[in-house]
């Protein structure tokens, strides 16, 4: 038995899911078909013999009424005919009382017992003159038994015909079950087959642009397999976006690094021949080398920062945004001495706190202020404002400002953001035409939005009224 089980498990492992499902469905339907045909055969057989037994009982009742006072004898002896009663005889309880003429039907000890009343009437199958017969032995009274027999070959022929017909129907049912099982497995697993083919094609081509073709219909009426295929298509879309973003990041980073690395190599080669340079040329080359090294270091650090998908949870703490804004503005004033910075903090926002990483939030504000100062004309201010407002439907807030929306805006008076550039200002390495001559790598705003979203905030950009750009950081 264990060997059969191991063979069955080996067969299942080596057969595809479609074949296993087809075999399982076919076996289930075939088992039902065979079971129904078998049950129908026994029901038909029982009913046909039951009808024959009823005929025997009626014949016996008629013979008893006609020969109640008769002695042991053969009442009817036309056993070769199919009509009722074909054969009938009266048998006494004692063999000594048997008539001189021989009996047509076999007389045995149970027949004598029925005559004495020691045994209940019974039916039996006999063969007489080569013909199958059904015989009823019943009590006649006065220590006598009545035997009535009818030919049963027509009934047995009908039973055999019914068995043959049911066998054909069962075989047809098995074949139909096999066809239905194959159709069910092919139809039900068609999305799975398409999903498998798409996955194999993606694995071989490494191209996530392929999609599984979904059947038409209402999304709310899709079955589980179709929803699986739709989810797989969604995953492929996300994978395609991720791969595209990764390729674009690598390409952009390579492009941005090529120029400073080339300049670094040139200045390094130039300093290698320092004996041929004047002091002024040597100092200029060394300064350029240091500046380009800082630029490359900053670019690499920015790329590392952008590669982080989320902030480390253990470093989260309650941060007072107003204090961070004051610190960031003070640092910006020192870094951009020619640009005035104004800071306005609303009274209800002064003590509001949010969970976050102070260093990362400081980096966010610093990037926004550096971007604004870079585009602000000399002497025109960069305006920073922090306000708080009650959220609709919120309960009374605690000291943490759980029921308040916190909003920080940074506005400059530069050329502003054009309508064409507005959707792309937070993309990595994106630089507007007016900003290509300015210092920077195009990663600052992308990093700022990533930090904002990691802290549950949203950073948006818009055109300020009266000119300039306005960046809005909102903490819910």
């Amino acid at each position: 038995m264990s060997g059969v089980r191991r063979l069955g498990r080996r067969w299942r492992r080596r057969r595809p899911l479609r074949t296993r499902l087809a075999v399982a469905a076919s076996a289930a339907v075939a088992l039902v078909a065979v079971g129904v045909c078998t049950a129908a055969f026994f029901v038909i057989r029982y009913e046909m013999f039951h009808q024959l037994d009823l005929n025997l009982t009626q014949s016996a009742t008629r013979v008893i009424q006609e020969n109640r006072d008769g002695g042991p004898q053969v009442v009817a002896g036309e056993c070769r005919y199919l009509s009722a009663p074909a054969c009938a005889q009266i048998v006494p309880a004692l063999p000594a009382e048997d008539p001189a003429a021989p009996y047509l039907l076999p007389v045995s000890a149970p027949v004598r017992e029925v005559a004495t009343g020691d045994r209940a009437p019974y039916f039996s199958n006999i063969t007489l003159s080569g013909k199958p017969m059904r015989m009823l032995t019943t009590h006649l009274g006065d220590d006598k038994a009545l035997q009535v027999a009818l030919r049963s070959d027509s009934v047995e022929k009908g039973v055999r015909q019914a068995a043959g017909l049911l066998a054909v129907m069962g075989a047809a049912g098995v074949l139909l079950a096999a066809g239905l099982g194959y159709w069910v497995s092919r139809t039900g697993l068609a999305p799975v087959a398409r999903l498998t083919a798409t996955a194999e094609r993606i694995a071989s081509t490494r191209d996530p642009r392929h999609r599984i073709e979904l059947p038409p219909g209402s999304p709310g009426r899709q079955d589980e397999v179709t929803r699986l295929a739709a989810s797989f298509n969604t995953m492929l879309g996300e994978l395609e976006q991720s791969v595209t973003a990764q390729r674009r990041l690598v390409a952009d980073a390579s492009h941005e690094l090529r120029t400073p690395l080339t300049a670094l190599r040139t200045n390094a080669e130039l300093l290698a021949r320092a004996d041929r340079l004047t002091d002024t040329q040597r100092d200029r080359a060394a300064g350029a080398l240091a500046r380009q090294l800082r630029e490359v270091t900053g670019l690499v650090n920015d790329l590392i920062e952008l590669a982080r998908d989320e902030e480390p949870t253990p470093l989260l703490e309650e941060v007072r945004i107003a204090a961070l804004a004051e610190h960031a503005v003070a640092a910006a004033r020192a870094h951009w001495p020619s640009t005035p910075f104004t800071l306005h903090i609303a009274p209800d926002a002064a003590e509001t706190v949010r969970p976050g990483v102070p260093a990362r939030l400081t980096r966010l504000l610093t990037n926004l202020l550096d971007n604004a100062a870079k585009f602000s004309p000399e002497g025109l201010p960069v305006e920073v404002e922090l306000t708080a407002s009650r959220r609709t439907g919120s309960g009374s807030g605690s000291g943490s400002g759980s029921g308040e929306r916190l909003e920080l805006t940074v506005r400059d008076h530069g050329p502003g953001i054009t309508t064409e550039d507005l959707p792309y200002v937070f993309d990595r390495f994106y630089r507007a035409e007016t900003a290509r001559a300015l210092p920077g790598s195009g990663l600052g705003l992308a990093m700022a939005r990533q930090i904002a979203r990691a802290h549950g905030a949203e950073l948006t950009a818009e055109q300020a009224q009266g000119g300039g750009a306005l960046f809005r950081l909102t903490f819910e």
Side-chain angles (χ1 to χ4, degrees), residues 194-213:
R194 292 195 296 270
L195 188 150
T196 303
T198 302
E200 291 175 346
R201 187 162 58 250
I202 292 173
S204 61
T205 62
R206 303 182 67 85
D207 184 2
R209 291 178 296 178
H210 299 287
R211 295 293 184 273
I212 300 174
E213 185 178 347

Side-chain angles (χ1 to χ4, degrees), residues 49-100:
F49 275 99
H50 180 65
Q51 185 64 39
L52 183 61
D53 292 344
L54 288 178
N55 291 338
L56 282 172
T57 302
Q58 292 174 357
S59 298
T61 301
R62 185 169 58 253
V63 172
I64 290 173
Q65 291 175 351
E66 295 174 354
N67 300 274
R68 183 175 296 276
D69 297 329
Q73 59 178 318
V74 176
V75 179
E78 303 296 335
C79 298
R80 63 181 180 275
Y81 297 113
L82 295 175
S83 60
C87 289
Q89 64 186 21
I90 299 174
V91 180
L94 298 176
E97 299 178 0
D98 288 341

Side-chain angles (χ1 to χ4, degrees), residues 91-95 107-122 137-147:
V91 180
L94 298 176
V107 178
S108 59
V111 177
R112 308 288 184 180
E113 294 176 0
V114 172
T116 60
D118 295 334
R119 184 185 179 96
Y122 66 92
T137 303
T138 184
H139 185 67
L140 183 61
D142 297 332
D143 293 334
K144 292 181 291 186
L146 174 64
Q147 289 180 290

